[in-house]
């Protein structure tokens, strides 16, 4: 039973993603690559090993994903621009102090062009809409210093429509409450300074109900625990100031037990194959829980807190106190 | 369209009928984090995809190529987009496309693109009936698939056809018969009953509320430790602006331990079904509910609420001890000395 975070192993795991022939997960595809780089880099930053990956190579990769026609970033070279990859690109460049490489005006234009009349955002020209994309738009514009160009009331009104009878939020108006969608709606409202739109007592109770007897968190009632909810649920609770409503030691033990102890990485649950997505969100959850030796994570932006503070975007969230041992 | 058999499967680079296309390699002269180790087939297919995108070709062979890519990687959203554009340009029979999608959906239920593509197609065919059947079948393999339920909701709302709506309650009931703890099905039921406007025959809103209360109570009686059912009950009461105290007679037995073996049964009350003999009692959600009733009543009853919260914190729901302590603290602020 692993009782500590195997930092050197996870650093090595993330570095090795560039070399390893065996670690190809079937869900790691070109359409996720930009996101994967962001997940890897953020995890390294929180473990205070940012320099484990070459900065210039990474910046070059990000810039190679620029879609000149659309004026934004795709997931990989020659992939069409998408909001998910555009946000990840901005986050990576900010963390690598290379945001000046971005043609901000064009990116802003791309983002704003994706807003639908109802207030929600599409992810790309294909038209799939989801509150995840709404969050990407709000977060990206905020990081670029162009939040004022947004029609805030329209967005807030749409999020209001996504509020369900159980206090949670879904992917689109009418959809079932789901912890990941709760995160994107809560974080978007936090950036827009409109947290009062949330029925906080009910939602925070619903979030605390995600914890299962094994200490892990699920995404909706009667579903299985998954390490990634350690971030979605925890960040929402942290933003709403109710992180203490989760049994921290039980969750911590659960996350630590999902580590792969030979070649590193964290999986969705103990015994499964790790991937960089769950590695980041497990580490992010541990950071919010005050795990010793980790850097502070900003739950609104899911980036190092110091970086968000430096650009003046810190909101009133509360993590658990960092333990010294 | 001639699709090669398994034995004959040649790379596009080996097929003479593709010789006029200039394949484009993916830019790969840096070592990125999280690279993709393509099979030769995938590399070959996507090289040719980049080629036809560049030349803006929209022909039947493009459909073959994009299908090939999608089968290997349903997450390749550019391939989906381009396929849709090509289908439109060629004015293809979309029912055939939907049949193909039926097959792909079975393997790739969790991919957003599969569902979004269907949405686009159905908006063109304007034939939603078969879609509901397809969704029902697809749910048999994965009863809580988020995309599938969301798509069903979209079909109903978009076409807003009374005939489509009319079978929906039966459908949800059958899903709950299969698994009374299916949160997606409960959510969908709330949508049908309360959030999709008023349809012919449903004008008596009070009757709808009564029907739903009876339904959820029966389900709670059979399996009380079911968070979705209790959330549903609260949802109905909140929606109808009914005080929780009106449910006290029903809820109370669930908040107590099972009566000792041999206790004579209470008078059967159809309005307030009792917990089944096999039910695990007391039920946490019921204790919580009773506490909410006492808290709402205030003054003397706040003591009762506090006792119940304490029992949750110390015994029945220790995982959420901090939450229950919060409730106790909040309530104590309102107690007048």
């Amino acid at each position: 039973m692993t009782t500590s975070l195997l930092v050197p192993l996870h650093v090595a795991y993330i570095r090795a993603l560039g070399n390893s022939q065996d670690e190809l997960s079937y869900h790691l595809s070109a359409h996720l690559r930009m996101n994967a780089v962001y997940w890897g880099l953020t995890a390294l930053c929180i473990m205070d090993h940012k320099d484990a990956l070459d900065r210039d190579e990474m910046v070059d990769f990000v810039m190679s994903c620029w879609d000149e026609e659309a004026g934004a970033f795709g997931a990989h070279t020659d992939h069409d621009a998408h909001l998910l990859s555009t946000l990840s690109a901005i986050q990576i460049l900010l963390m690598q102090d290379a945001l000046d490489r971005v043609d901000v005006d064009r990116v802003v234009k791309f983002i704003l062009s994706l807003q639908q009349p109802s207030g929600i955002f599409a992810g790309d020209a294909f038209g799939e809409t989801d509150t995840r994309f709404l969050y990407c738009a709000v977060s990206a514009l905020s990081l670029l210093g162009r939040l004022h160009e947004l029609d805030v009331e329209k967005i807030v009104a749409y999020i209001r429509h996504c509020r369900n009878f159980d206090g949670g939020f879904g992917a689109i108006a009418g959809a079932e409450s789901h912890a990941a969608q709760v995160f994107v709606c809560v974080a978007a409202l936090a950036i827009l300074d409109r947290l009062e739109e949330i029925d906080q007592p009910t939602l925070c109770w619903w979030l605390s109900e995600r914890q299962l007897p094994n200490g892990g968190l699920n995404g909706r009632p009667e579903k299985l625990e998954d390490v990634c909810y350690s971030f979605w649920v925890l960040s929402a609770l942290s933003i709403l100031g109710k992180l203490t409503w989760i049994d921290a030691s039980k969750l911590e033990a659960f996350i630590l037990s999902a580590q792969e102890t030979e070649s590193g990485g964290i999986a969705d649950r103990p015994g499964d194959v790790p991937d960089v997505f769950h590695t980041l969100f497990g580490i992010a959850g541990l950071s919010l829980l005050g795990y010793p030796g980790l850097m502070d994570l900003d739950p609104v932006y899911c980036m190092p807190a110091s970086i968000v503070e430096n650009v003046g975007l810190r909101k009133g969230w509360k993590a658990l106190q960092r333990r010294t041992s | 369209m001639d699709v090669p058999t398994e034995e004959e499967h040649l790379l596009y680079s080996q097929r003479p009928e593709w010789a006029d296309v200039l394949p484009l390699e993916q830019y790969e002269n840096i070592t990125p984090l999280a690279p993709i180790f393509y099979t030769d087939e995938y590399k070959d297919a996507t090289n040719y995809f980049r080629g036809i995108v560049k030349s803006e070709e929209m022909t039947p062979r493009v459909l073959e190529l994009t299908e090939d890519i999608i089968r290997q990687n349903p997450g390749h959203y550019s391939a989906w987009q381009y396929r849709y554009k090509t289908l439109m340009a060629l004015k293809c029979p979309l029912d055939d496309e939907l049949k193909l999608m039926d097959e792909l959906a079975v393997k790739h239920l969790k991919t957003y693109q599969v569902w979004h593509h269907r949405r686009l197609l159905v908006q063109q065919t304007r034939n939603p009936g078969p879609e509901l059947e397809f969704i029902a079948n697809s749910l048999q393999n994965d009863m809580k698939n988020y995309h599938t339920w969301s798509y069903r909701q979209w079909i109903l709302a978009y076409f807003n056809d009374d005939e489509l709506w009319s079978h929906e309650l039966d459908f949800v009931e059958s899903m709950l018969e299969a698994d009374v703890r299916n949160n997606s099905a409960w959510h969908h039921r709330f949508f049908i009953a309360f959030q999709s406007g008023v349809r012919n025959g449903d004008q008596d809103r009070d009757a709808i509320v009564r029907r739903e209360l009876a339904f959820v109570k029966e389900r709670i009686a059979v399996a009380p430790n079911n968070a979705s059912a209790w959330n549903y009950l609260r949802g109905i009461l909140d929606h109808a602006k009914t005080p929780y105290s009106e449910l006290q007679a029903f809820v109370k037995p669930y908040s107590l331990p099972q009566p000792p073996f041999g206790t004579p049964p209470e008078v059967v009350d159809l309005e307030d079904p009792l917990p089944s003999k096999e039910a695990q009692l007391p039920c946490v959600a019921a204790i919580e509910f009773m506490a909410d009733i006492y808290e709402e009543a205030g003054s003397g009853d706040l003591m009762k609420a506090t006792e119940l919260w304490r029992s949750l914190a110390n015994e029945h729901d220790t995982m959420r001890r901090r939450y229950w302590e919060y409730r106790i603290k909040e309530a104590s602020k309102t107690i007048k000395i």
Side-chain angles (χ1 to χ4, degrees):
Chain A
M1 193 63 183
T2 333
T3 53
S4 63
L5 184 65
L6 309 166
V7 170
L9 223 52
H10 300 316
V11 171
Y13 170 79
I14 293 171
R15 291 189 70 177
L17 284 169
N19 313 325
S20 168
Q21 302 273 352
D22 300 332
E23 291 305 321
L24 175 67
S25 307
Y26 65 88
H27 52 262
L28 253 195
S29 315
H31 67 285
L32 285 175
R33 191 175 310 183
M34 182 69 84
N35 299 134
V37 174
Y38 154 71
W39 297 328
L41 177 61
T42 308
L44 288 174
C45 287
I46 301 303
M47 290 190 289
D48 201 13
H49 280 266
K50 182 172 165 201
D51 299 329
L53 288 172
D54 187 281
R55 174 203 181 262
D56 292 337
E57 264 181 33
M58 192 181 291
V59 172
D60 283 346
F61 167 72
V62 170
M63 296 317 296
S64 78
C65 296
W66 175 256
D67 176 350
E68 178 53 38
E69 206 190 306
F73 293 90
H76 198 268
T77 329
D78 292 331
H79 275 237
D80 299 329
H82 197 285
L83 252 184
L84 289 171
S85 34
T86 298
L87 174 62
S88 287
I90 292 168
Q91 290 171 305
I92 294 166
L93 293 174
L94 186 53
M95 286 190 271
Q96 297 289 29
D97 196 20
L99 201 52
D100 55 329
R101 302 284 301 265
V102 176
D103 184 341
V104 176
D105 286 340
R106 289 201 73 197
V107 171
V108 170
K109 191 153 173 254
F110 170 78
I111 295 173
L112 293 175
S113 75
L114 292 169
Q115 186 162 35
Q116 309 299 299
S118 65
I120 199 174
F121 277 76
D124 62 8
F126 202 23
E128 182 200 347
T129 55
D130 191 314
T131 44
R132 292 179 301 147
F133 306 144
L134 189 153
Y135 166 75
C136 288
V138 170
S139 176
L141 288 170
S142 153
L143 292 170
L144 293 174
R146 303 284 281 267
L147 200 54
H148 53 273
E149 306 207 25
L150 213 48
D151 184 339
V152 173
E153 286 316 309
K154 214 155 127 191
I155 290 193
V156 171
Y158 188 83
I159 296 178
R160 224 181 276 132
H161 280 132
C162 294
R163 206 170 53 206
N164 291 316
F165 64 89
D166 51 19
F169 295 89
I172 52 175
E176 188 185 354
S177 301
H178 186 288
Q181 316 296 149
V182 167
F183 162 71
V184 295
C185 290
V186 169
L189 288 172
I191 296 173
L192 298 172
D193 293 316
R194 297 291 289 268
L195 288 174
E196 72 274 7
E197 296 290 333
I198 297 170
D199 176 359
Q200 295 194 29
T202 311
L203 179 58
C204 291
W205 168 82
W206 187 89
L207 287 166
S208 75
E209 288 282 315
R210 296 306 106 238
Q211 191 158 30
L212 296 168
N214 62 23
L217 307 178
N218 66 15
R220 35 184 176 139
E222 294 297 325
K223 293 280 282 181
L224 289 178
E225 66 288 349
D226 185 319
V227 160
C228 66
Y229 294 112
S230 307
F231 177 71
W232 311 127
V233 172
L234 245 48
S235 55
L237 283 172
S238 164
I239 292 168
L240 297 170
K242 296 287 190 287
L243 195 44
T244 51
W245 288 3
I246 289 288
D247 184 321
S249 58
K250 280 213 157 105
L251 176 57
E252 214 172 84
F254 172 75
I255 298 171
L256 293 174
S257 73
Q259 295 178 96
E260 209 291 333
T261 55
E262 279 177 28
S263 40
I266 301 178
D268 58 354
R269 63 186 67 85
D272 282 355
V273 175
D275 59 59
V276 66
F277 173 85
H278 290 94
T279 302
L280 167 62
F281 292 120
I283 289 169
L286 288 173
S287 175
L288 291 172
L289 292 173
Y291 192 85
L294 293 177
M295 308 301 285
D296 288 351
L297 175 101
D298 184 306
V300 174
Y301 293 93
C302 194
M303 292 171 64
S306 54
I307 295 201
V308 175
E309 258 159 46
N310 287 344
V311 292
L313 291 174
R314 201 214 196 268
K315 298 293 169 183
W317 51 270
K318 278 201 206 57
L320 294 188
Q321 181 119 40
R322 177 105 22 238
R323 307 195 303 275
T324 44
S325 64
Chain B
M1 199 164 29
D2 234 15
V3 180
T5 62
E6 288 279 32
E7 300 92 313
E8 289 172 28
H9 189 78
L10 297 169
L11 297 177
Y12 292 93
S13 57
Q14 296 166 316
R15 291 164 63 180
E17 67 272 26
W18 284 87
D20 58 305
V21 175
L22 179 66
L24 297 173
E25 295 277 338
Q26 190 160 50
Y27 174 69
E28 194 82 76
N29 65 351
I30 49 146
T31 354
L33 175 70
I36 312 319
F37 293 102
Y38 303 115
T39 58
D40 283 340
E41 284 86 357
Y42 188 73
K43 225 193 246 178
D44 170 68
T46 50
N47 285 347
Y48 276 81
F49 177 68
R50 277 182 282 277
I52 54 98
V53 167
K54 182 129 194 221
S55 64
E56 295 178 17
E57 181 181 329
M58 288 194 186
T59 58
R61 68 179 178 178
V62 165
L63 293 179
E64 182 198 332
L65 177 58
T66 50
E67 181 184 334
D68 202 348
I69 293 175
I70 285 162
R71 280 180 184 279
Q72 294 182 61
N73 179 12
H76 195 304
Y77 57 85
S78 300
W80 284 100
Q81 287 195 37
Y82 202 82
R83 183 182 178 82
Y84 181 73
K85 281 198 249 189
T86 305
L87 287 167
M88 292 297 111
L90 295 176
K91 301 197 196 321
C92 290
L94 297 180
D95 288 325
D96 290 347
E97 178 70 3
L98 275 168
K99 280 212 191 64
L100 174 64
M101 289 302 121
D102 287 358
E103 190 210 316
L104 286 183
V106 173
K107 264 176 70 189
H108 302 299
L109 282 176
K110 288 204 154 95
T111 310
Y112 290 105
Q113 280 73 21
V114 164
W115 296 102
H116 190 65
H117 191 69
R118 287 195 90 91
R119 238 182 227 101
L120 295 175
L121 297 173
V122 171
Q123 280 175 296
Q124 297 292 323
T125 64
R126 310 216 52 93
N127 185 18
E131 283 303 282
L132 289 184
E133 204 189 302
F134 167 75
I135 293 165
N137 288 335
S138 143
L139 280 172
Q140 291 310 308
N141 292 321
D142 185 359
M143 293 192 140
K144 300 181 185 179
N145 187 299
Y146 194 84
H147 306 302
T148 317
W149 282 102
S150 193
Y151 182 61
R152 193 176 183 93
Q153 221 182 56
W154 176 82
I155 292 272
L156 291 163
Y158 184 82
F159 292 97
N160 200 15
D161 176 300
D162 272 357
E163 166 63 20
L164 290 183
W165 285 111
S166 66
H167 304 296
E168 212 49 20
L169 264 188
D170 285 341
F171 171 72
V172 168
E173 210 166 311
S174 72
M175 293 301 289
L176 288 173
E177 243 355 82
D179 180 2
V180 74
R181 293 188 168 81
N182 187 332
N183 194 66
S184 308
W186 282 105
H187 178 86
H188 193 72
R189 194 178 173 101
F190 199 87
F191 167 71
I192 307 292
F194 300 114
Q195 294 177 319
S196 48
V198 181
R199 288 178 291 282
N200 281 333
D202 288 343
Q203 290 88 343
D204 185 348
R205 303 314 286 166
D206 288 339
I208 305 278
V209 170
R210 281 195 304 272
R211 179 193 75 200
E212 292 306 302
L213 276 176
F215 182 84
V216 71
K217 282 180 188 175
E218 271 170 52
R219 298 298 166 288
I220 288 175
V222 168
N225 290 294
N226 178 359
S228 305
W230 288 95
N231 285 350
Y232 193 78
L233 174 59
R234 286 167 177 268
I236 300 171
L237 299 175
D238 292 343
H239 174 84
K241 303 208 194 326
T242 304
Y244 285 16
S245 54
E246 281 188 28
L247 274 287
Q248 181 159 351
F250 167 69
V251 174
K252 188 133 194 222
Y254 294 85
S255 67
L256 302 168
Q258 279 279 13
F261 185 74
T263 308
E266 303 268 339
V267 173
V268 173
D269 179 353
L270 291 173
E271 277 273 324
D272 297 323
L274 286 171
S276 65
K277 287 280 171 293
E278 302 75 33
Q280 301 263 55
L281 297 181
C283 166
V284 168
I287 299 175
E288 213 176 303
F289 200 101
M290 290 305 300
D292 283 350
I293 291 176
Y294 292 137
E295 185 188 33
E296 180 63 32
S299 54
D301 281 350
L302 274 177
M303 235 31 240
K304 294 188 195 168
T306 303
E307 271 165 35
L308 290 180
W309 288 324
R310 235 184 267 291
S311 78
L312 287 166
N314 297 333
E315 193 186 339
H316 302 296
D317 193 25
T318 56
M319 180 90 74
R320 274 162 281 279
R321 187 173 52 85
R322 298 289 204 92
Y323 172 69
W324 300 120
E325 287 170 357
Y326 170 83
R327 295 296 297 271
I328 294 170
K329 194 160 138 221
E330 288 296 293
S332 71
K333 292 180 187 166
T334 66
I335 292 176
K336 298 181 185 75
I337 313 283

